[in-house]
C-alpha cells in the first residue's frame, strides 16, 4: 500500500513538472481615475487622475489559467471644488487630497484566447500623502481655518488598505517572445482612508478605475499552456 502511494505521488509530481512552465514577466504604464466614496463622501468631489506604473508576474497553473502577482505605484486621492463667500465676495476653493500607494494585487487570471479576466484581493501601503489647496486672492489670515482642516487629512490617514479588484484585458503576440496587452481594472478598498477623527470615525473608502498598456516577456511558447503557439 505504501509503495502504491509513493508511486501515485511520484506520477503526480512528474505530471505537474512536465506541465509546468516558466513565469511570464511584464511591465506596464497606466492612468488612475480615483475617488473617495462611503457614508461620509465629500461633497462636490471629483476623481483625481494619476499614474500607475507597475510590474507583474504571471505564474502558469493549468491550461489557460495563471496566478498573477503585481506591484504598482498607484497615485490616488480626490479633488474638491467649492464656491464660498468671504466678506460677501465669492471665492472658489480647489482642494486636492493626494495619497500615493504601493499596491500589491494577487489575481486569479483566466484567459479566453486573446481575452482575459482577473479577479482577486489587493493590499496597499501609503508611501506619500499631501493636501494641496488653492483660493482666489484672499488674505492669508482668512485662509488659516481651511488650511488646518485640510492638513488634518494627512495626520488622520490610515497607512494601509485592503480591497478587491477585477480586471479585463486583451493580450496579443507582437514578436516571438513579446506580448502586448491592454488592461482595464476596478478596485475598491475595504477600510476607511482616515483612521480616526476628533469626534467619530469617518467612512471614506478608496475607489479607482485604471487603464494600462504594457508588454509581457514570454520565455517559451511551445506548450499548450500558452494560448498562442
Amino acid at each position: 500500500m505504501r509503495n502504491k502511494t509513493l508511486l501515485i505521488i511520484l506520477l503526480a509530481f512528474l505530471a505537474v513538472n512536465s506541465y509546468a512552465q516558466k513565469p511570464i514577466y511584464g511591465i506596464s504604464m497606466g492612468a488612475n481615475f480615483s475617488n473617495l466614496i462611503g457614508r461620509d463622501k465629500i461633497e462636490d468631489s471629483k476623481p483625481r487622475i494619476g499614474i500607475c506604473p507597475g510590474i507583474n508576474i504571471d505564474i502558469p497553473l493549468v491550461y489557460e489559467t495563471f496566478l498573477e502577482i503585481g506591484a504598482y505605484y498607484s497615485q490616488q486621492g480626490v479633488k474638491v471644488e467649492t464656491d464660498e463667500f468671504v466678506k460677501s465676495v465669492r471665492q472658489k476653493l480647489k482642494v486636492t487630497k493626494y495619497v500615493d500607494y504601493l499596491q500589491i494585487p494577487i489575481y486569479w487570471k483566466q484567459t479566453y484566447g486573446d481575452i482575459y479576466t482577473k479577479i482577486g484581493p489587493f493590499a496597499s501601503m501609503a508611501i506619500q500623502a499631501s493636501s494641496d489647496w488653492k483660493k482666489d486672492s484672499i488674505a492669508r489670515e482668512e485662509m488659516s481655518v481651511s488650511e488646518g482642516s485640510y492638513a488634518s487629512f494627512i495626520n488622520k490617514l490610515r497607512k494601509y488598505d485592503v480591497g478587491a479588484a477585477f480586471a479585463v484585458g486583451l493580450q496579443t503576440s507582437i514578436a516571438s517572445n513579446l506580448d502586448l496587452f491592454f488592461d482595464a481594472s476596478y478596485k475598491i478598498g475595504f477600510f476607511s482612508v482616515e483612521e480616526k477623527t476628533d469626534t467619530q470615525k469617518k467612512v471614506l473608502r478608496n475607489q479607482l478605475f485604471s487603464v494600462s498598456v504594457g508588454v509581457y516577456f514570454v520565455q517559451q511558447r511551445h506548450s499548450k499552456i500558452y494560448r498562442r503557439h
Side-chain angles (χ1 to χ4, degrees), residues 114-212:
D114 288 343
I115 305 296
Y116 62 81
T117 59
K118 302 189 294 186
I119 189 169
F122 72 86
S124 299
M125 181 178 65
I127 56 179
Q128 180 175 300
S130 63
S131 184
D132 293 344
W133 55 281
K134 295 179 181 179
K135 259 185 182 177
D136 294 338
S137 57
I138 185 172
R140 183 70 184 178
E141 58 271 14
E142 293 173 343
M143 292 187 191
S144 58
V145 174
S146 295
E147 183 180 32
S149 63
Y150 290 112
S152 65
F153 166 75
I154 301 172
N155 299 329
K156 298 167 184 175
L157 179 69
R158 188 184 296 275
K159 301 302 187 294
Y160 63 89
D161 193 13
V162 175
F166 175 77
V168 295
L170 171 68
Q171 181 178 339
T172 185
S173 175
I174 58 174
S176 60
N177 62 345
L178 198 65
D179 283 2
L180 177 69
F181 72 89
F182 301 92
D183 199 285
S185 63
Y186 171 76
K187 300 183 180 76
I188 185 168
F190 294 154
F191 294 102
S192 180
V193 295
E194 292 191 10
E195 195 165 40
K196 60 183 179 179
T197 62
D198 297 333
T199 56
Q200 63 178 359
K201 184 176 181 179
K202 287 188 177 182
V203 178
L204 286 169
R205 295 183 296 146
N206 283 306
Q207 174 186 257
L208 66 150
F209 297 90
S210 303
V211 290
S212 300

